[in-house]
Amino acid sequence: MHGLMMDTPLLISDLIRFADRNHGDTEIVSKTVEGDIHRYTYRDAHARARRLAKVVQGLGLKAGDRIGTLAWNGYRHYELYYAISGMGAVINTINPRLFPDQIVYISNHAENTALFFDLTFLPLVEKLAPQLKTVKHYVLMTDRAHMPAKSAIPKLLCYEDLMAQQDDGYEWPTFDEHTAAALCYTSGTTGNPKGVLYSNRSTVLHAYGAALPDALNLSAYDSVLPVVPMFHANAWSLPYTCTMVGAKMVFPGPHLDGKSVYDLIEQEQVTLSAGVPTVWLMLLQHLSANKVRFSTLNRTVIGGSACPPAMIRSFQDDYGVTVFHAWGMTEMSPLGTVGTLKAKQAKLDKEARYAVQAKQGRGIFGVEMKIVDEEGKELPWDGKRFGNLLVKGPWIAAGYLKGEGGDPLIDGWFPTGDVATIDADGYMQITDRSKDVIKSGGEWISSIDLENIAVGHPAIAEAAVIGIQHPKWDERPIVVAIKKPGQDVSREELLKFFEGKIAKWWMPDDVVFVEELPHTATGKLSKLTLRQTFSDYRLPTA
Ligand code: ADP
């Protein structure tokens, strides 16, 4: 027997229509590439997104077409999110920090028919355009006053000119909720990037999940600053989730240094912000160097890489900001878990609470998890045994665009490539990326655990732990670290700092201080690059 409820499709265009109706005067604020502040409301954004859908159609682009963007977080990028997905086409948000070859690969693989890009990327696009085989239209996301006098791109179009030629008289079409809406490529540290194709349905369901109180706890009370870029897994869905709940949105543009982020948080009374640990490192350094505090920020979402416990402590103890440690991946839209406390844990002493928060968090309803051993046998949720983490749910990829890489699923589960424990309360903790785990004497050493201890030392700003070939033990860990400005610590002092915090055989074999650590295009420590840099390095213990 079927239920008798309406079968209305879950469509992305409904989010912005709803925001217009219910939160029409709520602001969307953007710090632009040019450096000024742009303000308008959900009502304005909805009108402009409809006008933009007409622009896109006017260029001859149709439902199902892929349309690329190379853009920062800003209102025009937000309009593109809604106009493109809302008319039934697919927005392919390309990460401009990727190598130029990868950008070309992505655009050609996606068969993008048009490319919308910020002024910042004009020189890049001029260089790459001859290789972008399928792109017919190049649209610079700016107004007439900022258009270049001449460009290597013939027939370069101006976003605001195109907008001025249209009106807002556009009705969002209704279509199957499984229609593709957005396309993000994984950063592809090995091999080519692979395309993850989100649908209208997966995006709307994910937004519901992300907004839940034990997830990001978003509401119309909030002013939200996504520092995480709109080209990195849809800014963790905030452009959709904030629209769903009617939160004020604040976009930082390309201005991501500590001072700019701090000033924007204060000016726009931001209550929640989201980004990768490296961004927060810059912000915390700005706060302590200038002895300033937040007046409205009360929580921050940190994910993309493990958030060091020292960072959680600093935000909470020094600045009164609750940290939501979150984990996910491009293939998961991206949210999988968020580290919010349960009532019984809120009563624990501070240290015990921090131990819970340092984990990557509990699954959101919609994300099923399991851990398995090397033979694929399921492991217990005891917080101790660790194994390969698999996930399943309506906002998790079932495959990649054009079947690249073959069928990724194992009995209907998506293998994350992460190694984790899950405790009896459902809190998952990543011990490593499976490629980064250090194999010593047949056992595994967690590089993340060692990194967390290293950055707990007051003189260490950032640290990476990698495995180095050892004649007897297979691999042994070394710490590669950056000191905080004006602070000092010796190799021996740092090694001593590990004593008593880990099993003896986990003790790093060496410490190497460096000026800089390599990061990937999504802000993660690039252990692949580090391993290459240290390929000739010899362990003192070897
Ligand atoms: P990329 O394109 O850089 O691969 P993703 O966001 O898809 O971008 O990367 C997903 C991976 O990032 C996860 O599989 C995991 O290894 C890592 N990751 C994400 N969040 C966390 C976290 N909170 N702690 C540890 N690792 C994380």
Side-chain angles (χ1 to χ4, degrees), residues 83-411:
I84 295 173
S85 303
M87 62 172 270
V90 179
I91 180 168
N92 173 213
T93 50
I94 306 176
N95 183 342
R97 294 182 184 136
L98 292 170
F99 294 117
D101 282 355
Q102 290 180 311
I103 296 176
V104 170
Y105 172 86
I106 289 172
S107 181
N108 290 339
H109 187 266
E111 299 173 59
N112 289 330
T113 47
L115 182 64
F116 286 75
F117 56 101
D118 271 335
L119 262 179
T120 321
F121 306 116
L122 179 60
L124 176 69
V125 176
E126 285 181 327
K127 208 169 74 201
L128 301 184
Q131 300 170 66
L132 306 181
K133 294 186 208 133
T134 54
V135 175
K136 294 198 209 72
H137 308 284
Y138 291 88
V139 184
L140 192 53
M141 292 161 65
T142 191
D143 54 15
R144 179 49 46 194
H146 292 92
M147 286 298 283
K150 62 179 195 327
S151 165
I153 300 169
K155 288 201 285 186
L156 178 65
L157 298 167
C158 168
Y159 188 98
E160 292 303 337
D161 280 359
L162 294 173
M163 290 289 267
Q165 291 155 17
Q166 296 291 351
D167 59 50
D168 326 335
Y170 179 83
E171 289 294 323
W172 299 114
T174 298
F175 43 75
D176 179 356
E177 64 181 12
H178 292 96
T179 302
L183 174 62
C184 280
Y185 279 74
T186 60
S187 54
T189 37
T190 50
N192 280 323
K194 296 201 283 288
V196 179
L197 189 59
Y198 310 108
S199 68
N200 277 261
R201 172 187 155 85
S202 70
T203 304
V204 173
L205 286 175
H206 178 262
Y208 273 118
L212 283 173
D214 272 1
L216 306 187
N217 187 14
L218 278 174
S219 79
Y221 260 78
D222 282 309
S223 168
V224 178
L225 174 80
V227 177
V228 51
M230 290 167 78
F231 53 74
H232 184 197
N234 304 316
W236 302 348
S237 111
L238 290 169
Y240 305 117
T241 315
C242 291
T243 308
M244 176 182 267
V245 302
K248 171 179 171 180
M249 298 200 70
V250 183
F251 291 123
H255 314 282
L256 304 178
D257 59 287
K259 180 181 185 321
S260 302
V261 170
Y262 174 76
D263 289 348
L264 205 53
I265 288 174
E266 287 303 299
Q267 273 164 34
E268 300 305 326
Q269 309 203 314
V270 169
T271 54
L272 178 137
S273 183
V276 297
T278 39
V279 164
W280 301 133
L281 205 63
M282 292 193 283
L283 181 65
L284 288 173
Q285 276 167 4
H286 174 79
L287 294 175
S288 81
N290 295 281
K291 304 208 167 25
V292 286
R293 299 182 62 80
F294 299 112
S295 37
T296 53
L297 190 75
N298 55 48
R299 58 209 198 283
T300 182
V301 187
I302 306 185
S305 318
C307 176
M311 186 173 278
I312 300 181
R313 243 171 239 277
S314 180
F315 266 113
Q316 299 192 167
D317 287 357
D318 305 340
Y319 301 106
V321 175
T322 304
V323 170
F324 293 162
H325 192 186
W327 165 85
M329 52 198 311
T330 304
E331 288 89 334
M332 299 176 69
S333 299
L335 276 181
T337 60
V338 183
T340 43
L341 297 177
K342 296 185 183 183
K344 65 176 181 184
Q345 292 153 340
K347 294 189 200 112
L348 298 172
D349 66 45
K350 207 157 86 174
E351 292 309 311
R353 283 202 314 270
Y354 282 152
V356 178
Q357 285 186 291
K359 299 190 175 195
Q360 274 71 9
R362 280 180 285 136
I364 304 168
F365 177 76
V367 177
E368 240 190 292
M369 295 191 287
K370 69 173 178 182
I371 42 174
V372 301
D373 66 13
E374 307 248 34
E375 278 79 53
K377 198 163 99 346
E378 194 164 350
L379 296 170
W381 289 22
D382 61 7
K384 291 192 187 73
R385 303 280 299 275
F386 53 84
N388 296 313
L389 177 64
L390 287 91
V391 291
K392 188 174 172 166
W395 60 73
I396 295 165
Y400 295 97
L401 187 64
K402 300 184 179 172
E404 251 13 287
D407 178 4
L409 303 191
I410 303 171
D411 295 332

